[in-house]
Amino acid sequence: MGGVGKILKKCLGEMSFNTGGGNINWFPGHMAAATRAINARLKLADLVIEVRDSRIPLSSANQDLQPRLSSKRRVIALNKKDLANPNIMHKWVDYFDSCKQDCLPINAHSKSSVQKLLELVEFKLKEKIAKEPTLLVMVVGVPNVGKSALINCIHQIASSRFPAQEKKKRAKVGPLPGVTQDIAGFKIAQRPSIYVLDTPGVLVPTISDIETGLKLALSGSVKDSVVGEERIAQYLLAVLNTRQTPLHWRNAHNNTLKELQNQTDGKHDYNIKDLLPKRRALLVASTVHYVEGVAKEVQSALYSTLSEFSGDLEDENDLEILIEKQFEALQKALKISNKANEARLMVSKKFLTLFRAGKLGPFILDDVPIVSSKS
């Protein structure tokens, strides 16, 4: 990706994304233990649901487990499809289809979406159902791809299907990567008995590709504190600029200018907690409108800086200068005082929150691989 690769090497190279992992602890102890447990249970699993993030369909795959997974009945569930670009999502489905791999984009918080996944799972198990009295379905994935949310939704559907079934403890869901530390299972069907085993998300112990590591960090599969919010925000800006995405935000820019002209009382206290998707609580209309307004101002700021940019996006020095100007523009758009301590960090956190919540639009960060047609 030209400029992105160069600026990553120049500005982020000291992070040591190398074979040895550098000084970064990508692989917490409980994940190492979970990997051993997963490998033991994979032998028993009749089908594996591999949950990935729709925004990074390849980067969110656990490469260590791929050889084992490819030998099993497997369905790849591309979760968070509501945050992914639908115009590109179908190309990913076609890609996996060309690889003869079952794949389904889902929203783990939607029962109808998860219901379609369960129908596909049951279809894949159809020939085994006649032979085995008990079947095991295993859910795997790297941290924070929505695996626990999927488990909980499956449990809700199972409870409605079988009201008499003894209630089981739901998988714990949290906002931080790797919170589900214990492997647990519960019954989702009878005759035959089908059990879903919940497993902790496991990230590969080494990330040799710096961009893969940053994509995982941007999507939330790596804790922000591991990489640093400023570095992640810098990477996001580099991606947006080289794709020239902000140029598509001209309407948001024009609308912002009109609103500024008509606005008489525009003083608001920005609170990052309004954007964090920790709980699915209903937000009051005014808060929703406010968040949307903040997103439009951010889009407007990035449109202005990129449209006025006369340098070369493929040149790492020019791109770095542009990104510096955009940080200044974002600080104004997000109404963060120059006097504020750690202003750049505050800008980065709020900018990333808007992106992760889908307020800047749907994105897919991975490029669809080119499949060579065999004649």
Side-chain angles (χ1 to χ4, degrees), residues 21-32:
N23 296 322
I24 300 174
N25 179 19
W26 292 104
F27 207 48
H30 74 265
M31 289 188 183

Side-chain angles (χ1 to χ4, degrees), residues 301-316:
L302 296 182
Y303 168 81
S304 296
T305 49
L306 182 56
S307 60
E308 295 168 3
F309 176 67
S310 58
D312 181 5
L313 290 173
E314 294 297 315
D315 182 275
E316 65 267 31

Side-chain angles (χ1 to χ4, degrees), residues 317-335:
N317 292 319
D318 286 356
L319 184 57
E320 188 177 5
I321 292 171
L322 171 61
I323 289 175
E324 282 302 311
K325 289 182 179 178
Q326 289 177 324
F327 265 107
E328 294 174 6
L330 287 174
Q331 186 171 338
K332 292 179 182 178
L334 294 169
K335 298 177 176 62

Side-chain angles (χ1 to χ4, degrees), residues 110-116 118 150-162 188:
S110 165
K111 282 189 177 181
S112 60
S113 180
V114 175
Q115 181 68 48
K116 291 179 181 178
L118 291 181
L150 173 61
I151 288 286
N152 288 336
C153 192
I154 291 176
H155 188 201
Q156 291 174 11
I157 294 173
S159 298
S160 63
R161 285 182 179 178
F162 307 102
I188 64 163

Side-chain angles (χ1 to χ4, degrees), residues 251-359:
N251 289 337
H253 174 66
N254 292 336
N255 291 336
T256 299
L257 292 180
K258 290 179 182 178
E259 289 174 9
L260 287 174
Q261 291 173 352
N262 299 329
Q263 196 173 38
T264 56
D265 182 19
K267 296 181 180 179
H268 294 283
D269 291 326
Y270 186 92
N271 187 347
I272 191 68
K273 291 182 180 178
D274 292 339
L275 297 176
L276 289 174
K278 287 185 178 180
R279 291 188 177 89
R280 299 180 59 79
L282 293 175
L283 299 176
V284 294
S286 60
T287 303
V288 173
H289 288 311
Y290 172 61
V291 172
E292 291 175 352
V294 171
K296 288 179 181 177
E297 289 188 38
V298 165
Q299 289 177 325
S300 174
L302 296 182
Y303 168 81
S304 296
T305 49
L306 182 56
S307 60
E308 295 168 3
F309 176 67
S310 58
D312 181 5
L313 290 173
E314 294 297 315
D315 182 275
E316 65 267 31
N317 292 319
D318 286 356
L319 184 57
E320 188 177 5
I321 292 171
L322 171 61
I323 289 175
E324 282 302 311
K325 289 182 179 178
Q326 289 177 324
F327 265 107
E328 294 174 6
L330 287 174
Q331 186 171 338
K332 292 179 182 178
L334 294 169
K335 298 177 176 62
I336 297 173
S337 171
N338 287 321
K339 297 179 181 179
N341 292 330
E342 300 182 326
R344 193 178 175 98
L345 178 61
M346 293 171 65
V347 169
S348 300
K349 286 184 175 182
K350 293 176 181 180
F351 179 48
L352 291 174
T353 299
L354 285 170
F355 173 80
R356 289 165 175 166
K359 300 302 180 184

